[in-house]
């Protein structure tokens, strides 16, 4: 602390006329009326700040506390009054610096508590999809779409209400209501809600590990009362004796397609039947990930369900299908503008939808179901592909590789992964599927 050897009776005139000696960064002129009160003047004489230097009673702590700038709004009489008030506190053993720090912390805690009690489910969701990270990185687009759908559809009336108002009994009631039409959707909805509420709790966790928001996750409590029904294993697929008929029908639809959308839909379903790829993996396939020279296509980790990016060989029919899409003839003038937009797309199977790539093929799948003699979904094509793998003698290890099912078996992962063998396998699969009926 600076020695008080420059003591004068401070007046407004003196404060305004005092100057800092040359060569010094600042000077303090002390008041002879109120001990410890001073005014600091900077080297340029442009800033004059009142301060109090005093010791807190009962401690060895001497504080230098800023009061404020002269004329902004402080005048000498106001500065003296403030200095006296601070000294009274310090003589009572109160440290104004510590007191102010505690007030700031208390105000901050109160603001956090207010935010915690008012933050809405929609706001939590927006924070979650932006900041949540998995061991593979950011959330996948498909996961974000599922979360947004459940919040804005199944939980629409909760979306703009505080998450603090979500209670266990309300969760049970909503879970039961959704379960009536779709137990699997109810389980998915509340698994996502549980994750969102856990995220909300973590957003406001205190330094000492306390949770001012949702001390206990209400969905977690709900699951003690309502266990999600285990989803029955799905076993639908195209019967093996109808696979070739389905392929023949798809070939006819591709050849006779009247619109770009019809052609894209038939091509996409044909692609999945030949490869066993999942809906989003194939639908979002980029031309930049198709290598005609190498005869491969690549599924990057950010679109694959298990995040395991993989490059797979193309069979001869698959190569022909993709080349035909790459080399589509020029369209008529009526649809020229739309076709040019689609042909310039980065996606192999583009769409005018929000995502830019195809996500459904209802009409084509209806035709597949009619030929198959049973209702067939897009994912059933993947099970059909596995059936064909077994039919042509593809080993279990290589079938897992072709369907990108990660195996924990060392032999399967490091030894049964011959590229030549996989190429032979996809050729055998495609030959069987495309054989004449």
């Amino acid at each position: 602390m600076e020695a008080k050897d420059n003591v004068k009776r401070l007046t407004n005139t003196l404060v305004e006329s005092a100057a800092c000696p040359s060569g010094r960064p600042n000077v303090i002129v002390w008041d002879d009326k109120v001990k410890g009160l001073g005014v600091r003047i900077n080297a340029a004489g442009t800033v004059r700040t009142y301060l109090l230097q005093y010791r807190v009673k009962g401690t060895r702590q001497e504080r230098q506390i800023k009061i404020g700038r002269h004329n902004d709004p402080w005048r000498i009489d106001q500065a003296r009054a403030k200095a006296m008030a601070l000294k009274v506190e310090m003589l009572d053993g109160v440290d104004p610096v510590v007191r102010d720090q505690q007030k700031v912390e208390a105000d901050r805690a109160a603001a956090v508590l207010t935010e915690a009690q008012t933050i809405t489910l929609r706001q939590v969701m927006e924070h979650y999809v932006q900041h949540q990270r998995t061991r593979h990185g950011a959330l996948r687009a498909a996961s974000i779409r599922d979360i947004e759908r459940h919040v804005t559809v199944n939980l629409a009336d909760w979306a703009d209400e505080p998450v603090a108002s979500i209670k266990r009994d309300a969760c049970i009631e909503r879970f039961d209501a959704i379960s009536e039409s779709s137990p699997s959707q109810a389980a998915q909805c509340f698994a996502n809600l549980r994750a969102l509420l856990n995220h909300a709790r973590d957003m406001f966790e205190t330094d000492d590990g306390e949770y001012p928001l949702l001390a206990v996750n209400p969905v977690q409590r709900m699951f003690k009362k309502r266990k999600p029904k285990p989803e029955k294993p799905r076993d639908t697929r195209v019967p093996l004796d109808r696979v070739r008929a389905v392929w023949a029908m798809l070939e006819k639809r591709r050849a006779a397609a009247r619109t770009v959308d019809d052609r894209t839909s038939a091509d996409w379903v044909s692609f999945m039947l030949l490869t066993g790829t999942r809906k989003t993996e194939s639908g979002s396939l980029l031309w930049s990930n198709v290598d005609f020279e190498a005869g491969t296509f690549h599924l990057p980790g950010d679109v694959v369900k298990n995040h395991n990016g993989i490059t797979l060989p193309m069979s001869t029919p698959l190569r022909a299908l993709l080349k035909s899409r790459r080399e589509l003839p020029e369209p008529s003038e009526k649809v020229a503008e739309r076709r040019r937009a689609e042909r310039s797309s980065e996606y192999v199977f583009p769409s005018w939808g929000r995502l830019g790539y195809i996500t459904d093929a209802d009409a084509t799948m209806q035709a597949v179901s009619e030929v198959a003699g049973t209702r067939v979904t897009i994912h059933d094509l993947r099970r059909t592909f596995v059936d064909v793998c077994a039919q042509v003698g593809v080993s279990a290890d290589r079938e897992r590789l072709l369907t990108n099912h990660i195996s924990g078996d060392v032999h399967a992962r490091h030894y049964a992964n011959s590229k030549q063998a996989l190429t032979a396998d996809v050729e055998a699969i495609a030959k069987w599927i495309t054989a004449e009926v």
Side-chain angles (χ1 to χ4, degrees), residues 11-18 38-40 45-51 66-80:
T11 63
N12 291 319
T13 300
L14 187 148
V15 169
E16 291 164 1
S17 63
V39 60
R40 179 188 290 113
T46 55
V47 180
R48 303 162 191 274
T49 304
Y50 291 109
L51 56 87
K66 176 181 175 180
I67 294 175
R69 290 187 180 185
H70 179 69
N71 282 338
D72 188 21
W74 301 90
R75 303 285 284 176
I76 183 58
D77 289 343
Q78 295 170 304
R80 282 196 180 102

Side-chain angles (χ1 to χ4, degrees), residues 203-275:
M203 286 172 65
F204 298 99
E205 182 184 5
T206 64
D207 291 339
D208 56 1
E210 297 294 326
Y211 293 96
L213 174 62
L214 300 174
V216 178
N217 189 324
V219 179
Q220 196 69 39
R221 295 182 63 212
M222 183 207 76
F223 277 137
K224 292 181 179 180
K225 296 272 188 181
R226 291 289 189 277
K227 298 292 183 184
K229 295 180 180 179
E231 193 171 355
K232 294 180 179 179
R234 298 176 183 176
D235 57 4
T236 51
R237 64 252 288 151
V238 178
L240 278 174
D241 63 353
R242 303 302 299 162
V243 170
R244 289 167 177 167
V246 166
W247 176 260
M249 179 274 296
L250 290 171
E251 285 286 88
K252 290 179 181 178
R253 288 182 72 90
R254 294 178 63 232
R258 292 186 176 184
T259 67
V260 173
D261 289 342
D262 287 347
R263 172 63 186 272
T264 297
S265 176
D267 283 346
W268 180 43
V269 173
S270 299
F271 180 95
M272 288 185 286
L273 185 59
L274 288 172
T275 62

Side-chain angles (χ1 to χ4, degrees), residues 7 74 78 100 111 123 145 211 216 288 290 339 355 411:
V7 180
W74 301 90
Q78 295 170 304
D100 289 347
Q123 290 171 324
R145 288 195 300 274
Y211 293 96
V216 178
S288 59
V290 175
R339 176 65 63 82
L355 298 175
H411 177 76

Side-chain angles (χ1 to χ4, degrees), residues 154 171-187 190 226 229:
N154 289 324
C171 290
I172 292 174
E173 183 179 349
R174 184 59 52 87
F175 180 84
D176 289 345
I178 300 172
S179 295
E180 288 181 5
S181 57
S182 177
S184 62
Q185 284 298 300
F190 277 84
R226 291 289 189 277
K229 295 180 180 179

Side-chain angles (χ1 to χ4, degrees), residues 9 84 98 114 117 138 147 205 217 221 246 294 312 353 376:
R9 176 61 57 89
M84 289 299 298
V98 173
T114 298
Q117 296 302 318
I147 292 168
E205 182 184 5
N217 189 324
R221 295 182 63 212
V246 166
L312 294 168
V376 178

Side-chain angles (χ1 to χ4, degrees), residues 283-296:
S284 63
L285 180 65
L286 300 169
W287 280 118
S288 59
N289 285 329
V290 175
D291 189 336
F292 286 111
E293 184 175 345
T296 61

